[in-house]
Amino acid sequence: MKLNVIIPCHNEEGNIKILHQKLTETLNDIDYVLIFINDGSKDKTYDKLKEIYEEDKNHVKVINFSRNFGKDAAMYAGLSYAKAKYTAIIDGDCQQNPKYLLEMMKYLEENDDVDQVAMVNKTRNKEKFINKILKGCFYSFINLISDTKFVKGASDFRMFKEHVTKAIVSLNENNRFSKGIFSWVGFNTHYLEYKVENRNSGKSNFNVTNQFKYAFNGIINFSVKPLRIATYIGLISSIGSFIYLIITLIQTLIMGIDVPGYPSLICAILFLGGMQLIAIGILGEYVSKTYLETKKRPVYITKNKLGFNDDDIL
Ligand code: UDP
Ligand code: MG
């Protein structure tokens, strides 16, 4: 088989039939299989997927999760079952035009040294100003503190050669930050620009709070430098307070100046108390992630599958 397309779907009842149709028209001449993942949708997404499967059994497979595990888990599930020469990921909301799949495949076919093609969104429609600022800060910060490189605007809309798919699946960590994993595995990635279309129906699952959580998770997942930053801040404030102590001693004992203690004491206590809580918080984030990983729970749980044979299992 030449191409697998993985489509994570969470509450996409109004979109997946249209997307299926577009994909069918676009991939007409190619040997392909679409792998839809129903990630705990609360609407009729699964019913629609069943209909699509019944209509187009040769090209459609469905994995139905037992609950919502998140887009990263859905992508991981799809990649685990991918068997084609090329594997792509596309959103289920029609924001990413399937015509780019052909562009990505052409690029991979023509360039032996390129292993992965990722679509970069330079002109995201209707994005709020605050989102742009937050995203800019996130990319600058994470690139500063992480050894893994993150390209601004690079989406999950991408295509991998088979060996890259295998490498990604071989990382079976529970808390998955796919954007980081796609880069961490290495290989040669080429970036192509594309234009994001408006959502066909429904609303985005990633509001500002979710994006903030996602970004925070990414930072903790792909760098341990926040721990070191906490250590440095502790070190700097200790040195600062020691210098201040010396100055106070000189002022009172040698120069005889009456140093007003109360306001500076309160400031120092509050500042150091805050710093300590931040440091404990950062430490707690890493400890909790370690705790969750040690449980070795599966990334997702499947309720049922459509179109898979028994030997397709992971
Ligand atoms: N998605 C998913 N599980 C989730 C959230 C989202 O499978 O918990 C899917 C969603 O159905 C869509 C894709 O991930 O196909 C991207 O989500 P969304 O459109 O909400 O994000 P945005 O495009 O706004 O970044
Ligand atoms: Mg979307």
Side-chain angles (χ1 to χ4, degrees):
M1 190 198 315
K2 190 153 187 199
L3 178 69
N4 271 143
V5 183
I6 291 153
I7 309 148
C9 306
H10 177 68
N11 297 340
E12 304 289 6
E13 62 179 0
N15 300 322
I16 43 176
K17 282 211 155 182
I18 299 165
L19 178 67
H20 172 251
Q21 199 184 338
K22 281 188 183 174
L23 283 163
T24 310
E25 285 162 14
T26 314
L27 304 175
N28 198 14
D29 303 329
I30 298 167
D31 178 20
Y32 72 94
V33 165
L34 311 174
I35 304 177
F36 287 90
I37 298 97
N38 177 35
D39 182 17
S41 299
K42 295 256 184 294
D43 62 3
K44 299 232 172 327
T45 299
Y46 182 63
D47 295 338
K48 302 270 177 201
L49 285 176
K50 265 201 304 205
E51 286 171 26
I52 293 172
Y53 170 68
E54 291 301 332
E55 280 165 23
D56 189 15
K57 280 190 179 166
N58 287 340
H59 291 123
V60 174
K61 293 181 186 224
V62 178
I63 301 170
N64 189 25
F65 280 1
S66 62
R67 64 167 170 85
N68 178 239
F69 283 90
K71 186 185 175 187
D72 292 280
M75 291 191 288
Y76 176 63
L79 289 170
S80 311
Y81 286 93
K83 286 187 165 167
K85 190 172 175 200
Y86 302 113
T87 300
I89 300 171
I90 189 168
D91 283 356
D93 55 4
C94 301
Q95 284 195 278
Q96 298 162 338
N97 194 321
K99 72 177 182 192
Y100 295 112
L101 291 173
L102 299 179
E103 226 176 278
M104 286 194 271
M105 198 158 71
K106 187 163 175 273
Y107 198 90
L108 286 178
E109 272 174 341
E110 286 173 359
N111 295 278
D112 279 347
D113 57 324
V114 177
D115 309 284
Q116 173 181 173
V117 177
M119 300 308 291
V120 179
N121 164 26
K122 292 270 181 210
T123 49
R124 192 152 178 133
N125 302 350
K126 284 186 359 193
E127 194 169 49
K128 286 185 197 144
F129 182 66
I130 177 85
N131 283 25
K132 276 189 191 155
I133 300 282
L134 287 175
K135 274 191 185 155
C137 292
F138 166 70
Y139 281 105
S140 308
F141 185 64
I142 200 157
N143 278 319
L144 190 72
I145 64 166
S146 174
D147 295 332
T148 307
K149 282 294 149 247
F150 292 81
V151 173
K152 193 177 173 196
S155 64
D156 295 331
F157 185 26
R158 44 181 83 209
M159 191 178 284
F160 313 103
K161 282 187 179 164
E162 208 173 357
H163 56 279
V164 183
T165 311
K166 282 198 178 128
I168 293 166
V169 174
S170 74
L171 303 186
N172 57 357
E173 60 212 65
N174 190 287
N175 186 1
R176 300 183 77 77
F177 186 69
S178 301
K179 271 194 186 16
I181 291 176
F182 296 157
S183 167
W184 186 90
V185 291
F187 302 109
N188 198 358
T189 305
H190 181 75
Y191 296 91
L192 288 176
E193 272 188 40
Y194 84 119
K195 193 170 178 296
V196 179
E197 293 174 15
N198 288 331
R199 222 172 202 284
N200 181 60
S201 86
K203 62 177 184 10
S204 169
N205 293 282
F206 294 91
N207 55 26
V208 175
T209 320
N210 284 347
Q211 281 181 10
F212 194 76
K213 278 190 203 157
Y214 182 74
F216 193 73
N217 193 28
I219 290 165
I220 299 292
N221 254 298
F222 275 86
S223 175
V224 288
K225 287 216 180 97
L227 288 171
R228 208 163 300 148
I229 294 171
T231 314
Y232 289 151
I233 291 175
L235 209 67
I236 291 167
S237 55
S238 308
I239 294 169
S241 63
F242 184 72
I243 294 170
Y244 188 59
L245 174 82
I246 304 284
I247 293 171
T248 314
L249 278 177
I250 293 170
Q251 280 181 330
T252 39
L253 296 180
I254 301 175
M255 298 162 81
I257 302 170
D258 200 9
V259 181
Y262 185 71
S264 49
L265 200 66
I266 288 291
C267 288
I269 288 172
L270 289 180
F271 176 73
L272 284 177
M275 283 301 155
Q276 278 164 0
L277 287 178
I278 290 171
I280 292 171
I282 293 172
L283 195 65
E285 288 294 330
Y286 287 94
V287 173
S288 68
K289 293 269 182 287
T290 316
Y291 167 65
L292 292 174
E293 287 295 335
T294 55
K295 290 187 178 193
K296 295 220 177 306
R297 287 188 178 165
V299 178
Y300 62 90
I301 289 177
T302 307
K303 188 173 169 190
N304 65 303
K305 299 193 289 274
L306 304 174
F308 287 93
N309 303 319
D310 288 344
D311 61 348
D312 280 332
I313 287 166
L314 280 164

